[in-house]
Amino acid sequence: MDDWLPASGRTRGRTAAADRTAAGAAWMCAVIVTLAFGWIAADLLWHGLSRLTPGFLFEMPQLSGRAGGLASIIVSTLAILAICLAAAVPIGLGAAILLAEYSRSDRRLGRFVRRSLDVLAGVPSIVFGLFGNAFFCVYLGMGFSLLAGGLTLACMVLPLLIRSLEQGLREVPDDWRNAAAALGMSKAATLRSILLPAALPGLVVGLVLGMGRALAETAALLFTSGYVMRMPGSVMDSGRALSIHIFDLSMNVPGGTGNAYGAAVVLLLMLLTVNLLALAIARRWQLTQPGPL
Amino acid sequence: MTPPLLPMRHAPSALLANGSEQHAIELRNLCVCYHGKRAFRDISLAVPRGEITALIGPSGCGKSSLLQCLNRLTDMIPGCHVEGDVRVEGLNIMDPAQDLLTLRRHVGMLFQRPNPFPLSIRRNIELPLREHGVIRKPELRARIEQVLDDVGLWDEVRDRLDSPALALSGGQQQRLCLARALALAPRVLLMDEPCSALDPLASAKIEELIVRLRGQYTVLIVTHNLGQARRIADHTGFFWTEDGIGRLVEFAPTHTLFNQPQDPRTRAYIRGERG
Amino acid sequence: MISPQRVDATLLAALRISAGLAGVLLLIIFFFMAAESWAGLRDIGPLRFVLDASWHPEPAAANGSFRITAMVAATLAATAGAVVLATPLAIGAALFLRFYAPPGLAGPFKRIVELLAGVPSVVYGFWGLVVLVPLLATLGGPGQSLLAGILILTLMILPTITLLAHAALVSVPPAYLQAAAALGMSRWTTIRSVALPAARGGLFTGIVLGTGRAAGETMAVLMVCGNIVQLPDSLLAPVRTLTANIALEMAYALGDHRAALFVSGLVLMLLVTGLVLAVARLDASSGRFRHG
Ligand SMILES: Nc1ncnc2c1ncn2[C@@H]1O[C@H](COP(=O)(O)OP(=O)(O)O)[C@@H](O)[C@H]1O
Ligand SMILES: [Mg+2]
């Protein structure tokens, strides 16, 4: 071979060296990313896990959160999350169905919605906070409240939610849409009896992703649901979300670092649970998805 | 196989009102475009009622598109535009005011890939029946048994009507799809290569069923199997593409088309396929 | 019984309303941001955001000074620094994931990147505050600094860019790579001259979206940058970004001060919108290219 394709030894040597250097660099990047992850995870778990006692979860915070637990914080967080989902899921599901199932008849509306959601997905969360304050708190007169915070988050998760719900619907094979249409079944019955049940796992994954995004959010809540640490009595009360609590403990409360670690680990565990749930559902779905024939 | 008499919420009379004497389907100058590009041009065709009509020709010449015009499944395809005159049992189905649910209830379709719903065998037939107004339990049960029996599936599945339809074999699934279509007592049955995803045995069973439909239904079947067209069809149409645009080259009684084709392209195609 | 046609029509109307609401939400947000900014733009005027002596806002425009240039500079510096650091790392990590990782390692590594992408920004900020900032303080200065912000932002956008770059690399048709391999090209030559060019659209999208995320990030920079309004003269100097400024002052801002904060929010929003639209245009044109 060398006879008729004479590559000089030097060229080949240089190629091999470049190859090795590139491989080394790629490995290096991976090692840096892994180390960063390890460092963050180890630090948080090391300082935070020891604080995870039942008391920490179920006692009221005391001394600005330095002492005591997270009871009212967790309640506020879950309330905000519930409001967010209650508002975002119906609208999101409706929009996702329109985008996935009526792409022919409603092409222009679909294109408008899609483009608008693409922009919305990139809007910084602090801007959602400003908007939520101006619209929900001031214009609609909700004041600083769980309701205002939840609705602000609903606006924020809508793009992600719609995109993943639409994805879930699109995974349903067209065969069934054609079969239903050819049998003269109405769109409503097709959705209710065939498409939505078949897409359910995908829809749940979308829902879970939206939940994760909402749980992780802080900036949009700073001036919508507020800082108040008391146990909320109604959705019109202000309440402090877990993420805000972490921020406040670490920035504004001397000696709050310890409990901030605990709260951070609780938040991460909630997110992890939510993500594992999504993963498990997606896995299970792949296993039960019927192949062709 | 007796033609089932289905109580209808949408009266079929509208469809039967002024059909011509022998033709269930009449096409005049039918054109289909995808994104402005023509798939086929100016097809005119009259399909005799109660007979089996086969469409043959190479892939991509528009046979599936033509079938989908007849139950307006083309409405669901993005970028698809249909022009021309289509009459099914005398009714102008291209009329924008035509109710699609009624049309599709009268024009059944069998697809290339069996497509039972991810539901039980029973629900697969029950669901469309309920949609079209059959809601009484005993009637549903009787009708399900009858159509499953019509397609020779009753004895195979009578004990597991509530197990998933997707657990059936490919051939059984396709027969279930046929039963599901028959349950609505359509006037016309469209079949798009209904056997091409099946093994020879299952394929032969379906073929046998199609033959038994003759006389009660108007069957329009696309097939790549020339032998099948010869065996079962009363009339055969031959499609061909020129410059990427499909055309109906020849339409004749099956034995004429196969034994004395008028067009040299038909002759070449049939001979080529023979080996 | 209602006819199925009627049910379908009602359903479609409901779906259109939902989709319409989702679609006009962006317009509503723009409208409210603009409306709240309006008083500020009118009373303060756009020039004073640049020409005033400093940032000492007051509820009445006449009493305060409203220069935001230092905060704009801080935002730009932090964003640029993070993008410059994160891009090569992320592309390296994506190449590792696609071409170099041994089969047993690719899965866990991808999971790690996904986990990093899911960590809330407040947690990054917290970690930066308690771990990174004291470390940087040993270099001199207070620790809370532009550099701290850059490092934390790097960590935050790294997984985003990595995942998008990886997706772009995965979608390079295997036939290209096989062709290169069949020609006896080395792995690095294949990557450099086949894979990276073919994936360049996706890589660019990842970088631009990472930029948007860095520019819009609030909590992490708020917690590690020190929040002093000044032009950064060194990497170790504390700075305040536009987003941090909003978060710090919204709670008590009134009148023109409040409006000025909305103006900075609007500026951010327009900036990020511009980036997203640029990416969309790029995607569309590269799509056209791909399909001939
Ligand atoms: N959904 C579609 N979108 C765009 N073009 C299509 C679509 N379906 C079919 N076509 C085009 O229309 C022509 C006819 O296709 P088809 O009706 O499937 O032919 P056949 O069934 O005879 O193989 C082909 O050129 C095909 O590329
Ligand atoms: Mg076909």
Side-chain angles (χ1 to χ4, degrees):
Chain A
M1 210 202 235
D2 281 10
D3 290 340
W4 56 272
L5 191 71
S8 85
R10 228 174 69 220
T11 320
R12 210 179 307 150
R14 211 183 293 145
T15 311
D19 219 24
R20 271 199 306 277
T21 314
W27 273 90
M28 192 72 147
C29 292
V31 168
I32 291 175
V33 172
T34 310
L35 284 180
F37 173 78
W39 193 1
I40 296 175
D43 180 68
L44 291 172
L45 293 179
W46 176 255
H47 292 100
L49 271 186
S50 57
R51 307 217 156 227
L52 282 194
T53 57
F56 187 61
L57 294 181
F58 299 120
E59 275 165 25
M60 286 294 288
Q62 282 149 17
L63 301 173
S64 307
R66 259 181 229 108
L70 297 175
S72 60
I73 310 289
I74 290 178
V75 169
S76 295
T77 306
L78 295 181
I80 292 173
L81 188 62
I83 292 166
C84 162
L85 293 180
V89 167
I91 294 180
L93 190 59
I97 293 177
L98 191 98
L99 290 180
E101 303 296 329
Y102 292 84
S103 54
R104 166 150 181 169
S105 65
D106 288 63
R107 209 169 68 217
R108 284 178 50 180
L109 177 60
R111 200 183 314 144
F112 163 69
V113 173
R114 224 181 281 276
R115 206 166 279 173
S116 151
L117 289 175
D118 278 349
V119 175
L120 205 60
V123 170
S125 54
I126 188 84
V127 172
F128 280 99
L130 286 174
F131 163 73
N133 181 274
F135 185 63
F136 295 116
C137 301
V138 177
Y139 184 74
L140 295 183
M142 296 176 188
F144 278 42
S145 62
L146 298 176
L147 188 61
L151 293 178
T152 305
L153 282 192
C155 297
M156 203 186 80
V157 301
L158 214 46
L160 174 69
L161 189 69
I162 292 177
R163 202 174 300 161
S164 37
L165 291 179
E166 183 193 351
Q167 186 60 31
L169 277 167
R170 283 189 185 277
E171 313 246 321
V172 177
D174 266 347
D175 290 4
W176 297 335
R177 291 186 183 90
N178 287 333
L183 289 164
M185 283 174 62
S186 66
K187 205 78 191 181
T190 309
L191 276 166
R192 187 184 59 231
S193 308
I194 296 155
L195 300 181
L196 289 179
L200 192 61
L203 299 181
V204 173
V205 171
L207 185 73
V208 162
L209 287 175
M211 270 168 73
R213 178 89 206 271
L215 268 179
E217 186 46 43
T218 317
L221 294 176
L222 278 172
F223 18 89
T224 51
S225 59
Y227 283 74
V228 173
M229 226 179 335
R230 276 195 316 271
M231 182 65 82
S234 85
V235 294
M236 297 313 289
D237 280 356
S238 171
R240 183 188 280 203
L242 203 45
S243 55
I244 301 244
H245 193 55
I246 298 169
F247 165 67
D248 197 57
L249 280 183
S250 54
M251 290 288 281
N252 305 332
V253 180
T257 308
N259 266 358
Y261 267 116
V265 169
V266 170
L267 180 58
L268 287 178
L269 287 181
M270 280 166 110
L271 283 168
L272 204 64
T273 315
V274 156
N275 277 312
L276 288 180
L277 212 68
L279 205 70
I281 293 166
R283 274 259 170 77
R284 215 189 140 117
W285 187 30
Q286 271 161 8
L287 289 181
T288 56
Q289 262 298 72
L293 293 193
Chain B
M1 209 181 274
T2 47
L5 290 166
L6 195 62
M8 224 70 66
R9 225 174 337 127
H10 323 292
S13 53
L15 275 176
L16 285 170
N18 38 15
S20 86
E21 286 303 308
Q22 332 93 334
H23 296 133
I25 303 170
E26 290 166 307
L27 309 178
R28 219 161 296 137
N29 298 331
L30 185 67
C31 273
V32 170
C33 300
Y34 290 101
H35 302 288
K37 189 185 166 300
R38 289 193 170 181
F40 60 69
R41 175 165 51 202
D42 292 344
I43 289 188
S44 299
L45 174 66
V47 178
R49 176 175 302 118
E51 292 191 2
I52 299 172
T53 301
L55 302 179
I56 60 172
S59 292
C61 57
K63 306 178 299 293
S64 301
S65 305
L66 185 133
L67 285 198
Q68 289 173 338
C69 290
L70 299 178
N71 59 356
R72 289 206 20 209
L73 231 47
T74 43
D75 282 27
M76 292 170 59
I77 305 171
C80 182
H81 177 74
V82 183
E83 253 173 47
D85 192 33
V86 184
R87 286 176 187 277
V88 175
E89 297 291 1
L91 198 78
N92 173 17
I93 65 156
M94 299 304 292
D95 184 350
Q98 169 65 42
D99 176 52
L100 289 184
L101 304 189
T102 315
L103 169 68
R104 290 170 182 166
R105 179 224 162 293
H106 289 286
V107 180
M109 189 166 200
L110 211 54
F111 294 79
Q112 179 172 4
R113 239 176 27 188
N115 53 3
F117 298 127
L119 306 168
S120 70
I121 297 169
R122 184 202 308 280
R123 284 282 287 160
N124 258 284
I125 304 177
E126 193 183 87
L127 197 62
L129 275 175
R130 280 179 179 279
E131 268 288 285
H132 293 285
V134 183
I135 42 175
R136 284 182 38 242
K137 277 266 157 61
E139 199 182 340
L140 279 170
R141 208 172 309 132
R143 197 155 297 282
I144 289 170
E145 176 174 347
Q146 192 205 329
V147 289
L148 284 177
D149 196 42
D150 283 349
V151 299
L153 211 49
W154 178 248
D155 291 328
E156 294 166 47
V157 302
R158 63 193 308 168
D159 305 322
R160 46 179 178 135
L161 282 178
D162 291 307
S163 59
L166 293 176
L168 295 172
S169 75
Q172 287 174 319
Q173 287 189 16
Q174 192 65 305
R175 280 187 285 151
L176 175 62
C177 292
L178 180 58
R180 190 173 65 178
L182 292 179
L184 297 178
R187 307 281 144 179
V188 174
L189 268 171
L190 309 171
M191 305 185 179
D192 194 355
E193 305 181 39
C195 300
S196 63
L198 307 179
D199 66 80
L201 235 80
S203 167
K205 259 190 197 153
I206 298 276
E207 195 176 309
E208 193 183 308
L209 287 169
I210 297 172
V211 172
R212 280 166 53 195
L213 298 174
R214 180 184 281 130
Q216 284 141 31
Y217 302 89
T218 304
V219 176
L220 189 57
I221 177 172
V222 171
T223 177
H224 280 298
N225 181 338
L226 295 188
Q228 186 175 61
R230 269 191 117 138
R231 285 191 296 274
I232 67 174
D234 303 297
H235 282 77
T236 300
F238 171 65
F239 279 73
W240 188 250
T241 23
E242 262 161 23
D243 309 323
I245 301 175
R247 318 189 28 182
L248 176 62
V249 172
E250 195 165 347
F251 184 76
T254 301
H255 64 89
T256 314
L257 189 113
F258 277 94
N259 297 322
Q260 296 123 32
Q262 298 298 306
D263 196 285
R265 288 165 294 189
T266 320
R267 205 170 306 139
Y269 186 73
I270 290 169
R271 208 181 296 130
E273 291 283 322
R274 265 183 193 159
Chain C
M1 195 174 149
I2 315 163
S3 80
Q5 287 83 359
R6 282 279 292 284
V7 175
D8 270 6
T10 316
L11 172 73
L12 182 54
L15 296 180
R16 281 184 178 149
I17 291 173
S18 314
L21 269 177
V24 297
L25 179 58
L26 180 71
L27 300 181
I28 297 178
I29 293 180
F30 257 123
F31 175 80
F32 269 85
M33 293 299 295
E36 293 276 344
S37 304
W38 171 242
L41 285 173
R42 187 194 52 208
D43 296 346
I44 307 169
L47 279 184
R48 287 185 59 193
F49 287 110
V50 182
L51 297 181
D52 269 4
S54 62
W55 173 258
H56 284 107
E58 292 291 333
N63 303 339
S65 45
F66 292 90
R67 196 178 72 188
I68 60 169
T69 45
M71 295 180 288
V72 172
T75 294
L76 291 179
T79 305
V83 171
V84 166
L85 281 185
T87 300
L89 269 175
I91 291 180
L95 287 176
F96 172 79
L97 201 48
R98 174 71 184 85
F99 293 107
Y100 292 99
L105 229 54
F109 183 67
K110 180 135 190 268
R111 190 58 35 77
I112 283 181
V113 176
E114 284 165 353
L115 283 172
L116 276 174
V119 172
S121 55
V122 71
V123 174
Y124 275 113
F126 174 62
W127 180 80
L129 186 63
V130 294
V131 175
L132 205 58
V133 165
L135 219 62
L136 289 179
T138 61
L139 299 178
Q144 290 193 323
S145 58
L146 177 60
L147 182 58
I150 289 176
L151 291 177
I152 286 294
L153 284 179
T154 301
L155 267 180
M156 292 185 63
I157 65 175
L158 183 64
T160 313
I161 304 181
T162 304
L163 290 175
L164 286 167
H166 178 244
L169 287 172
V170 165
S171 66
V172 172
Y176 292 6
L177 304 178
Q178 280 161 5
L183 290 169
M185 283 160 70
S186 76
R187 186 152 58 174
W188 171 238
T189 314
T190 308
I191 290 172
R192 191 172 41 107
S193 51
V194 180
L196 285 178
R200 114 186 136 248
L203 297 180
F204 194 72
T205 304
I207 295 168
V208 174
L209 292 183
T211 309
R213 174 140 194 231
E217 175 50 37
T218 307
M219 298 317 292
V221 290
L222 174 63
M223 293 165 83
V224 303
C225 282
N227 299 325
I228 292 174
V229 185
Q230 60 176 3
L231 272 177
D233 56 354
S234 98
L235 281 174
L236 293 173
V239 295
R240 182 190 287 193
T241 63
L242 277 180
T243 50
N245 186 50
I246 297 172
L248 285 168
E249 299 188 353
M250 248 312 271
Y252 60 88
L254 295 169
D256 287 327
H257 180 194
R258 179 179 155 95
L261 295 181
F262 273 89
V263 170
S264 51
L266 192 61
V267 168
L268 267 175
M269 186 177 179
L270 291 173
L271 189 86
V272 173
T273 305
L275 284 177
V276 170
L277 291 181
V279 167
R281 170 152 298 184
L282 194 89
D283 272 2
S285 62
S286 70
R288 239 194 331 270
F289 177 64
R290 259 201 305 281
H291 301 301

